[in-house]
Amino acid sequence: MGMRSLLVALVIAATAAFVVGVSIERGNEPAQHAASEAVAPTNENQEAGGEGEAQHAAGESAGRATNAADPHAELRPLGIDVEAWPFVLAAALASLALAAGAWLRQRLTPLLTLVAVAMLAFAALDIREVFHQADINENGLAVLAGAVAALHLTAAAVAAAMASRSRDSTAPASGPAGTMAA
């Protein structure tokens, strides 16, 4: 398998695994939300709609404040959920577009450099996700995020190697001083 085929296969595999991971995580959210609501037992001596609900509301607002300060909360730059389906779709399409570009223009150094940088950026986000999933005891998703990070890192290395080869093959031949390359 050539470098070009390997790069495309790595990017497609990483993209597919990323989408599967987000799907699994989104599928687990209702169960996690229901489990967090079932924390406080009810007191049978409290009146319906009385102090119990007020304490519950106070507990919820305290929980939100705690979650906002939680260093292990989901990544939300500028308050945007980067794991929302429109952003997942945009990331997947961008990855696939980069893979297609690398397939069609395997000797275009700036494109291969862009692929390497993008794959490194995705790997950094994947590594952060490994720690996040481990912190919330989602070990299966942590392992999947680690595998996606490994795929992205490998794709970055292959793209960088291809860019280096492309740059070396297009470098002008140097000759003795004062002469022109043929």
Side-chain angles (χ1 to χ4, degrees):
M1 176 183 283
M3 295 279 277
R4 175 172 61 163
S5 299
L6 178 61
L7 177 61
V8 170
L10 287 167
V11 172
I12 290 172
T15 302
F18 165 70
V19 171
V20 167
V22 171
S23 298
I24 292 170
E25 185 177 12
R26 290 291 183 193
N28 288 346
E29 281 182 353
Q32 289 173 352
H33 183 67
S36 68
E37 285 184 351
V39 172
T42 59
N43 185 350
E44 292 179 359
N45 295 332
Q46 292 176 347
E47 292 181 337
E51 188 176 345
E53 281 187 24
Q55 288 174 344
H56 180 70
E60 280 185 1
S61 63
R64 279 193 296 270
T66 303
N67 288 341
D70 183 9
H72 305 295
E74 283 287 334
L75 180 64
R76 289 182 179 265
L78 304 174
I80 298 169
D81 181 7
V82 295
E83 290 182 351
W85 283 115
F87 293 106
V88 171
L89 180 63
L93 290 176
S95 291
L96 295 175
L98 288 171
W103 179 262
L104 297 172
R105 299 287 188 154
Q106 69 182 7
R107 297 205 184 275
L108 188 60
T109 304
L111 174 65
L112 293 170
T113 303
L114 177 63
V115 171
V117 169
M119 295 300 112
L120 280 175
F122 286 143
L125 293 172
D126 297 333
I127 291 167
R128 188 204 181 282
E129 189 67 16
V130 169
F131 289 108
H132 170 71
Q133 294 301 332
D135 285 345
I136 62 171
N137 294 323
E138 288 288 345
N139 296 332
L141 285 173
V143 169
L144 180 59
V148 174
L151 289 168
H152 278 132
L153 287 172
T154 306
V158 170
M162 288 175 66
S164 177
R165 279 190 192 168
S166 174
R167 185 176 47 251
D168 292 344
S169 69
T170 59
S174 60
T179 62
M180 292 180 54

